[in-house]
Amino acid sequence: MSVLPKKNELGFFEIRLESIGGLGANLAGKMLAEAGVLGLGLSGSNFSSYGSEKKGSPVKSFIRFCDPDTAIRDHSPIEEPHVVGVFHEALYKTIDVVSGLRADGIVLVNSSRDFDVIKNDLNLEYGTLAIVDALNIAVEEKTKVNTAMLGALFRICEFLDPNSMREVIRKTFEKKYPHLVEPNIRTFDRGYNEVQFKTYEVPEGAEGKTFVRMQPLLGYETQELGGVITAQANSILKDLSGSRQGFLPEFNREKCIDCAACDNVCPDFCFVWEEGEDKRGRKQMFLKGIDYQYCKGCLKCVEACPTNALTDLREMIGYAEANRVKQNFPYTAGGIL
């Protein structure tokens, strides 16, 4: 008798993890698949999809499980998952993380917010929503978000054996990082025990989300006639907020001495300056604020600040937009700003 709770027409139980580089979704997918294959004897596969492999870029990890007598001959990306794991809430801005989710599917979100608020953000009509504060667990245990998310995923996928995952964690870390074994097991256990669920009733005959493939902004049908480039190559329109892993710098103007130590270490031109006069009437540049559109939360500025005018703050939804001081680039955007 199959231990899988659901299957698609090919006999697969499918999981898709939505994340950004640096949060460990790729490793989480590998460990999840390994626990199912080696721990339960299921057939399984795992692979990931990502761009330039750098920290902060979008990452998708795919996991398929099926009964031992079913061959896996499908290695395409998962478009209609039974479970979706969202490692970072900032992904809502640019990616439809629940695209293709089945009507009775489960969405796991790394968040500390209320169910109904997240449901509205995801445009989720029905199904099961699971929430775990994986970031807070990882900070307290000095580990990474992925292990806490794995614990929650094991609670969702009840057919998987948590003990097999604990063994995978031991094997993964004990050779190179033996000091991380116990903290990661504690993180896994907390994710397993602290995840919360809320089910929104699925109407009879309800259909799942339609899967939509993302299209490039400039293709052969949408590019300018003759291949005209209206703005020279730059990254002015790029939004790096999706790269932040839960923290950003908070600026306190009263403590700032305008020493520019923060700007010297900032890799992304986040700090906005304005010209003014000091108490003696001398010309000087004063720090006006931070353009959070370009801030990826590296917190190098916090380390460099000598007066604690910059401190690390756990990011709250809407904080960056409300406190952003915009850069002004009038000549480099080709008239598009």
Side-chain angles (χ1 to χ4, degrees):
M1 182 176 178
S2 176
V3 299
L4 297 173
K6 303 171 186 175
K7 300 178 188 177
N8 61 15
E9 57 277 5
L10 297 177
F12 301 146
F13 180 86
E14 298 181 324
I15 303 169
R16 186 175 73 218
L17 306 182
E18 303 274 1
S19 182
I20 63 171
L23 292 182
N26 184 29
L27 178 59
K30 290 179 180 178
M31 296 171 73
L32 187 61
E34 185 177 340
V37 172
L38 300 183
L40 291 177
L42 296 170
S43 291
S45 68
N46 158 253
F47 57 98
S48 297
S49 171
Y50 36 75
S52 56
E53 302 184 46
K54 65 182 179 181
K55 182 177 180 180
S57 58
V59 173
K60 295 179 186 290
S61 185
F62 308 106
I63 304 99
R64 282 190 173 95
F65 289 121
C66 59
D67 296 327
D69 57 350
T70 302
I72 297 180
R73 302 186 187 279
D74 182 1
H75 298 285
S76 60
I78 293 173
E79 297 183 350
E80 297 182 351
H82 296 93
V83 177
V84 171
V86 183
F87 281 53
H88 198 309
E89 286 190 282
L91 288 166
Y92 302 171
K93 295 181 181 179
T94 56
I95 298 174
D96 183 5
V97 293
V98 295
S99 177
L101 180 69
R102 294 174 179 271
D104 58 348
I106 302 175
V107 184
L108 169 66
V109 181
N110 169 23
S111 178
S112 59
R113 298 190 297 154
D114 294 331
F115 285 97
D116 292 340
V117 175
I118 296 175
K119 173 178 176 287
N120 291 334
D121 285 350
L122 292 175
N123 293 320
L124 197 67
E125 299 176 18
Y126 34 73
T128 300
L129 181 60
I131 297 176
V132 63
D133 194 354
L135 176 61
N136 185 60
I137 295 173
V139 170
E140 292 181 356
E141 299 294 344
K142 296 181 173 59
T143 54
K144 279 195 171 186
V145 166
N146 60 344
T147 316
M149 291 292 286
L150 273 173
L153 285 167
F154 265 72
R155 182 74 173 273
I156 292 171
C157 304
E158 295 180 344
F159 60 91
L160 294 173
D161 181 11
N163 288 325
S164 65
M165 188 68 245
R166 295 185 184 99
E167 287 303 312
V168 171
I169 291 174
R170 290 187 185 278
K171 291 179 181 178
T172 302
F173 292 104
E174 64 184 356
K175 290 185 178 179
K176 289 187 177 181
Y177 310 104
H179 61 288
L180 294 179
V181 172
E182 293 305 321
N184 273 282
I185 290 178
R186 287 198 304 270
T187 302
F188 173 81
D189 289 340
R190 287 189 60 181
Y192 186 90
N193 293 320
E194 294 180 20
V195 63
Q196 297 180 327
F197 299 88
K198 184 173 183 178
T199 299
Y200 298 91
E201 186 177 354
V202 181
E204 186 175 349
E207 296 182 356
K209 294 278 188 179
T210 302
F211 182 80
V212 179
R213 290 185 178 88
M214 293 185 64
Q215 300 296 325
L217 294 178
L218 294 178
Y220 73 94
E221 292 182 337
T222 55
Q223 65 184 351
E224 297 286 344
L225 288 175
V228 175
I229 299 176
T230 58
Q232 63 271 35
N234 59 60
S235 58
I236 289 174
L237 299 181
K238 187 170 181 60
D239 189 343
L240 296 179
S241 62
S243 302
R244 295 195 288 268
Q245 298 185 26
F247 292 90
L248 47 66
E250 181 183 22
F251 178 50
N252 185 334
R253 175 63 252 182
E254 294 181 358
K255 294 184 178 180
C256 182
I257 59 174
D258 304 298
C259 65
C262 53
D263 210 359
N264 287 334
V265 299
C266 178
D268 294 302
F269 210 59
C270 300
F271 293 94
V272 182
W273 297 81
E274 62 180 352
E275 186 177 315
E277 295 182 353
D278 63 12
K279 295 179 180 178
R280 298 182 181 180
R282 296 174 298 187
K283 295 288 186 180
Q284 183 178 329
M285 297 301 291
F286 293 89
L287 182 56
K288 188 177 179 181
I290 302 173
D291 192 337
Y292 288 109
Q293 174 180 332
Y294 306 114
C295 177
K296 60 175 179 280
C298 67
L299 301 182
K300 291 180 180 179
C301 56
V302 174
E303 298 175 7
C305 182
T307 63
N308 291 327
L310 291 166
T311 55
D312 60 308
L313 174 72
R314 176 161 181 181
E315 185 171 6
M316 298 169 285
I317 299 296
Y319 177 87
E321 289 77 7
N323 293 275
R324 176 191 175 194
V325 177
K326 293 184 179 181
Q327 291 277 17
N328 183 27
F329 302 113
Y331 304 115
T332 56
I336 57 178
L337 288 182

